[in-house]
């Protein structure tokens, strides 16, 4: 099993955008697709590092992480066991992502 | 007690004089020898500790008030930028305001995190059925999440939407609620005995 760290600032973009790709660049939808690909390519834990960006909007976080369950149909257990979220700058991002995941699976 | 010869002098008339110095027995200092110094040392350590605690407490309160001011300022910046983002008709200005709002909320959250770390302490609170040393800190995590959701939720970043003037009131309400909660938590932290 290979554990990987995915830094959004380094591997995606330092300036996260809106929810959908048709609303602007660096969208939550685009990140969701990249995470889905990463999920298929690896078999270990994926640690998503949220530090180093210019800030996330709620809709971006919801689409990127809640959308994995809601849109792509990834089982919530897979999201919960395979993904770890990390932010030293603003730990409330992690709280909000967990809330999005709970909401997406109907809790 | 030990004795040792001091000197021996042999005068010429044939009388020998022996001088003997008597020295008290040497022994290692015992606890009782130091006993009289113990209260002084104890009071000195206690005084140093009290000064240290009071100084640290005063410095922490000063830092908390500084952070309070910064948080209030950042909250204002974030809310104002979000109001501009919701109401600005010009696309370029709106995009700039949206970016500033997200950045300001992140800075605000980071400042609130510092506040949480600085105010993390245990206070003595005698009460039936409770622990005497209760942890207390100013934790604004839920308020930050609520603020971000209100200010940046859909369709905040949708470039095709019209200016949403009604969001001005929503933004002001969430700002007011944040400040109310923040001041309440600060009051409780300053006077834990009055905390509910």
């Amino acid at each position: 099993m290979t554990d990987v760290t995915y830094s959004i600032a380094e591997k995606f973009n330092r300036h996260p955008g809106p929810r959908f790709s048709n609303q602007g660049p660096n969208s939550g939808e685009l990140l969701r697709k990249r995470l889905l690909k990463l999920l298929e390519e690896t078999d270990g834990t994926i640690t998503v590092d949220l530090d180093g960006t210019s800030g996330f909007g709620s809709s971006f976080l919801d689409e990127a992480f809640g959308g994995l369950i809601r849109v792509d149909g990834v089982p919530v257990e897979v999201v919960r066991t395979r993904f770890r979220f990390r932010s030293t700058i603003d730990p409330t991002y992690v709280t909000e992502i967990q809330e999005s995941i709970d909401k997406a699976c109907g809790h | 007690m030990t004795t040792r010869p001091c000197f021996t002098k042999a005068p010429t008339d044939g009388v020998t004089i022996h001088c003997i110095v008597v020295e008290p027995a040497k022994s290692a200092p015992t606890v009782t020898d130091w006993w009289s110094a113990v209260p002084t040392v104890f009071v000195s350590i206690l005084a140093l500790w009290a000064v240290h605690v009071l100084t640290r407490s005063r410095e922490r309160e000063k830092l908390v008030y500084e952070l309070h001011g910064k948080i209030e300022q950042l909250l204002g910046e974030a809310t104002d930028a979000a109001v501009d983002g919701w109401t600005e008709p010009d696309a370029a200005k709106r995009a700039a305001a949206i970016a500033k709002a997200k950045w300001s909320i992140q800075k605000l959250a980071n400042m609130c995190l510092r506040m949480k770390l600085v105010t993390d302490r245990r206070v003595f609170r005698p009460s039936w059925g409770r622990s005497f040393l209760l942890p207390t800190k100013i934790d604004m995590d839920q308020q930050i999440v609520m603020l971000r959701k209100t200010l940046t939720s859909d369709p905040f970043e949708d470039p095709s939407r019209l200016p949403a003037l009604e969001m001005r009131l929503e933004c002001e309400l969430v700002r007011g609620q944040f400040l109310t909660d923040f001041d309440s938590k600060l009051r409780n932290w300053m006077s834990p005995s009055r905390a509910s």
Side-chain angles (χ1 to χ4, degrees):
Chain A
M1 275 214 293
T2 317
D3 295 343
V4 292
T5 298
Y6 187 88
S7 166
I8 293 180
E10 289 170 12
K11 294 178 181 169
F12 183 68
N13 202 287
R14 285 178 55 81
H15 307 289
R19 179 185 286 272
F20 299 118
S21 297
N22 61 10
Q23 293 174 336
N26 315 320
S27 64
E29 185 183 5
L30 186 62
L31 177 64
R32 173 167 57 79
K33 286 176 180 167
R34 296 221 184 145
L35 291 175
L36 188 66
K37 196 175 166 206
L38 195 63
L39 197 65
E40 288 163 357
E41 287 171 353
T42 59
D43 55 355
T45 305
I46 300 163
T47 302
V48 181
D49 187 355
L50 301 150
D51 286 342
T53 71
S54 58
F56 298 95
S58 282
S59 49
F60 178 94
L61 295 172
D62 182 58
E63 185 62 29
F65 303 104
L68 284 169
I69 301 161
R70 197 174 50 240
V71 181
D72 296 317
V74 178
V76 65
E77 297 80 21
V78 173
V79 174
R80 286 215 172 106
T81 53
R82 295 283 307 280
F83 283 104
R84 296 278 180 276
F85 305 103
R86 184 174 68 198
S87 178
T88 51
I89 300 277
D90 181 1
T92 63
Y93 285 140
V94 180
T95 311
E96 203 164 335
I97 290 168
Q98 299 295 355
E99 283 182 10
S100 287
I101 291 169
D102 289 344
K103 193 176 155 195
C105 67
H107 288 169
Chain B
M1 186 184 294
T2 58
T3 61
R4 66 180 172 84
C6 180
F7 65 87
T8 303
K9 191 177 179 185
T12 51
D13 59 357
V15 178
T16 303
I17 299 170
H18 292 282
C19 175
I20 296 170
V21 176
V22 178
E23 293 177 341
K26 284 182 183 173
S27 61
T30 60
V31 175
T32 49
D33 293 333
W34 298 103
W35 189 248
S36 59
V38 167
T40 312
V41 172
F42 179 73
V43 168
S44 303
I45 290 172
L46 199 68
L48 281 172
W49 178 78
V51 167
H52 168 70
V53 166
L54 288 172
T55 306
R56 201 177 59 172
S57 171
R58 201 180 309 121
E59 280 176 359
R60 181 153 61 175
E61 284 186 11
K62 195 177 157 196
L63 184 58
V64 165
Y65 276 118
E66 280 176 14
L67 284 172
H68 182 271
K70 281 182 187 170
I71 286 171
E72 232 176 312
Q73 183 195 338
L74 282 169
L75 177 67
E77 283 177 19
T79 317
D80 290 346
V83 167
D84 288 346
W86 280 109
T87 57
E88 180 60 55
D90 182 79
K93 285 181 184 170
R94 185 191 289 184
I98 287 170
K100 189 182 176 190
K102 290 195 286 184
W103 173 239
S104 299
I105 295 170
Q106 183 171 265
K107 276 203 295 183
L108 173 66
N110 186 247
M111 209 53 76
C112 286
L113 174 66
R114 279 195 66 195
M115 177 68 102
K116 187 162 74 170
L117 296 175
V118 165
T119 56
D120 193 1
R121 66 177 183 184
R122 287 180 179 274
V123 291
F124 182 71
R125 194 188 299 169
S127 173
W128 289 104
R130 280 185 179 179
S131 166
F132 284 141
L133 276 175
L134 292 175
T136 174
K137 58 190 164 193
I138 300 176
D139 184 350
M140 296 296 291
D141 284 2
Q142 281 307 317
Q143 284 77 9
I144 289 284
V145 170
M146 181 57 70
L147 182 82
R148 189 186 295 113
K149 279 184 176 172
T150 306
L151 299 188
T152 70
S153 60
D154 289 326
F156 184 58
E157 295 186 68
D158 184 355
S160 64
R161 71 166 166 82
L162 294 171
L165 298 175
E166 70 281 4
M167 281 306 293
R168 182 186 293 274
L169 180 62
E170 288 284 322
C171 294
E172 292 302 333
L173 282 175
V174 76
R175 174 195 198 165
Q177 188 59 51
F178 188 100
L179 280 177
T180 304
D181 291 349
F182 188 38
D183 286 345
S184 165
K185 282 171 188 270
L186 181 67
R187 262 199 315 278
N188 288 343
W189 185 81
M190 298 298 281
S191 313
S193 57
R194 286 190 295 165
S196 54

